[in-house]
């Protein structure tokens, strides 16, 4: 694969949402912007090997996409007042973009995707695709839908935004918190996808976690008085602080309890602690703050040697009380097993709804480990085999 192709692929991963949001802020049409950006990326693959890579590749893609939109509109047979206005707006901005780079209007696109006119079940998938550039096939897999059905839902949502004239802007304060909740859930979903992705896999999303970290920080900067916005930013920063320790130098997967502390990013942990304290001072408790607090307690235990198991147990119980989830339940079971022994953990695991855990890999990993600690190798092996079947990562397997 040529260096030009690799660069274009990296730009498609890292800059897709930023460029698309910038285009959409002008066109007010997500599909139009997507088509123009795809054309621009294809043009880069053919022109850059001949003409050389431009000094500002991202700005080049943006300007090229806007030129594509501009040319298409000029050749329309029917001219309307709105088309004239759009042409003027694009024409005025083309020169600036190639010279100065592009701004980052993704907040406006995020809020457009969470507008009440958009079906609630499609808001998160829409944000994952438009703002973070995740393919509809990957989104379909994550949301247990067929690729064709998910693609149709996303197309309908984009058409709804265009037809309804949904604004690409931050909403009024009276509805801000409600809309932010959907955005935070989407960003966390994107981070979960990046966490499960593989280097070198079909979906090359190894840089997605950095993009999500940036977006969470962007939100925290924009809304410093929203406790859950700060909570999510702290949570992702805590998780990212350990990224260098998750794999050995040979590429092997390293479980959390075996990670080498000196490979953690202590400066990132300190930033996360500061952000979490700022959230706590607002006295509006939420699920992301509790999850961040669990991360904080674990980091504190590993760094100081102080036992935080009871504290983490209480935090998981609080999380289950306000935002029940299978992940929170598993966390509580794991902590109970640490405190009271594997038999207690196994007993609590067996109480969970079988429909929710059948395809949930962390459940089977935890179950296998507790059976192993309970000296039941046959059941442990059965659960490990089930867990192995639920992952594609050779190192994790």
């Amino acid at each position: 694969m040529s260096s030009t192709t690799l660069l274009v692929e990296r730009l498609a991963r890292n800059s897709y949402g930023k460029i698309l949001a910038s285009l959409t802020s002008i066109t007010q049409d997500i599909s139009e912007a997507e088509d123009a950006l795809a054309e621009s990326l294809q043009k880069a693959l053919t022109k850059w090997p001949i003409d050389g890579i431009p000094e500002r590749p991202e700005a080049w893609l943006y300007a090229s996409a806007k030129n594509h939109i501009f040319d298409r509109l000029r050749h329309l047979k029917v001219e309307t007042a709105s088309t004239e206005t759009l042409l003027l707006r694009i024409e005025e901005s083309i020169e600036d973009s190639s010279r100065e780079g592009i701004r980052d209007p993704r907040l406006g696109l995020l809020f457009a995707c969470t507008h009440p006119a958009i079906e609630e079940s499609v808001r998160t998938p829409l944000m994952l695709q438009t703002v973070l550039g995740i393919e509809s096939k990957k989104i379909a897999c994550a949301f247990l839908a067929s690729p064709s059905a998910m693609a149709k839902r996303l197309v309908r949502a984009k058409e709804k935004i265009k037809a309804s004239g949904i604004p690409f802007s931050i909403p009024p304060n009276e509805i801000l918190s409600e809309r932010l909740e959907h955005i935070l859930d989407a960003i966390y979903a994107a981070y979960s996808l990046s966490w499960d992705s593989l280097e070198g896999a079909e979906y090359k999303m190894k840089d997605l976690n950095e993009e999500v970290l940036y977006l969470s920080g962007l939100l925290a900067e924009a809304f410093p008085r929203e406790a859950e916005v700060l909570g999510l930013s702290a949570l992702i920063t805590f998780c990212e602080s350990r990224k260098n320790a998750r794999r050995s130098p040979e590429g092997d997967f390293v479980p959390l309890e075996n990670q080498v502390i000196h490979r953690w990013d202590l400066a990132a942990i300190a930033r996360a602690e500061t952000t979490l304290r700022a959230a706590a001072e607002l006295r509006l408790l939420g699920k992301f703050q509790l999850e961040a607090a669990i991360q904080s307690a674990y980091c504190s235990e590993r760094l100081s040697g102080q036992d935080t198991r009871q504290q983490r147990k209480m935090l998981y119980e609080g999380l289950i009380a306000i935002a029940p989830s299978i992940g929170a339940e598993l966390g509580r079971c794991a902590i109970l097993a640490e405190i009271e022994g594997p038999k207690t953990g196994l007993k609590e695991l067996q109480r969970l709804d079988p429909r929710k855990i059948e395809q949930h890999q962390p459940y089977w990993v935890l179950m296998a480990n507790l059976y192993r600690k309970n000296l039941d190798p046959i059941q442990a092996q059965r659960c490990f085999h089930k867990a192995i079947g639920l992952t594609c990562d050779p190192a994790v397997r």
Side-chain angles (χ1 to χ4, degrees), residues 163-331:
S164 303
I166 292 174
F168 293 82
S169 59
I170 297 174
N173 287 336
E174 58 267 22
I175 59 172
L176 179 62
S177 294
E178 179 184 350
R179 298 278 294 280
L180 275 173
E181 182 179 347
H182 294 291
I183 291 177
L184 298 181
D185 286 340
I187 290 177
Y188 189 55
Y191 189 69
S192 298
L193 288 179
S194 73
W195 188 280
D196 294 335
S197 299
L198 312 178
E199 293 189 11
E202 178 183 359
Y203 301 99
K204 295 184 178 180
M205 298 163 62
K206 62 182 180 180
D207 297 323
L208 178 59
N209 50 0
E210 294 180 5
E211 188 75 356
V212 173
L213 178 64
Y214 169 77
L215 278 181
S216 67
L218 185 68
L219 280 170
E221 184 179 337
F223 306 106
R225 302 295 299 172
E226 292 287 340
E228 277 292 81
V229 170
L230 299 180
L232 179 62
S233 180
L235 171 60
I236 294 177
T237 305
F238 273 124
C239 293
E240 279 300 282
S241 71
R242 300 193 299 268
K243 67 179 180 181
N244 292 329
R246 292 190 192 115
R247 302 276 174 158
S248 71
E250 296 74 30
D252 295 331
F253 174 75
V254 182
L256 180 58
E257 63 271 17
N258 296 335
Q259 289 177 8
V260 179
I261 294 177
H262 75 252
R263 300 192 70 190
W264 288 5
D265 184 343
L266 299 184
I269 291 175
R271 290 195 301 273
E273 293 285 3
T274 299
T275 304
L276 182 58
R277 283 195 296 270
E281 289 172 0
L282 297 173
R283 299 186 179 279
L284 292 170
L285 188 62
K287 61 182 180 182
F288 292 121
Q289 294 169 75
L290 284 170
E291 291 200 38
I294 291 168
Q295 295 288 328
S296 173
Y298 185 81
C299 289
S300 175
E301 179 168 312
R302 288 294 308 275
L303 292 170
S304 69
Q306 181 180 0
D307 187 348
T308 65
R309 290 177 297 178
Q310 290 291 346
Q311 179 184 351
R312 284 183 284 143
K313 174 177 171 288
M314 292 176 60
L315 289 168
Y316 273 117
E317 289 172 347
L319 184 58
I320 292 168
I322 68 170
S325 70
I326 190 65
E329 292 282 2
L330 291 181

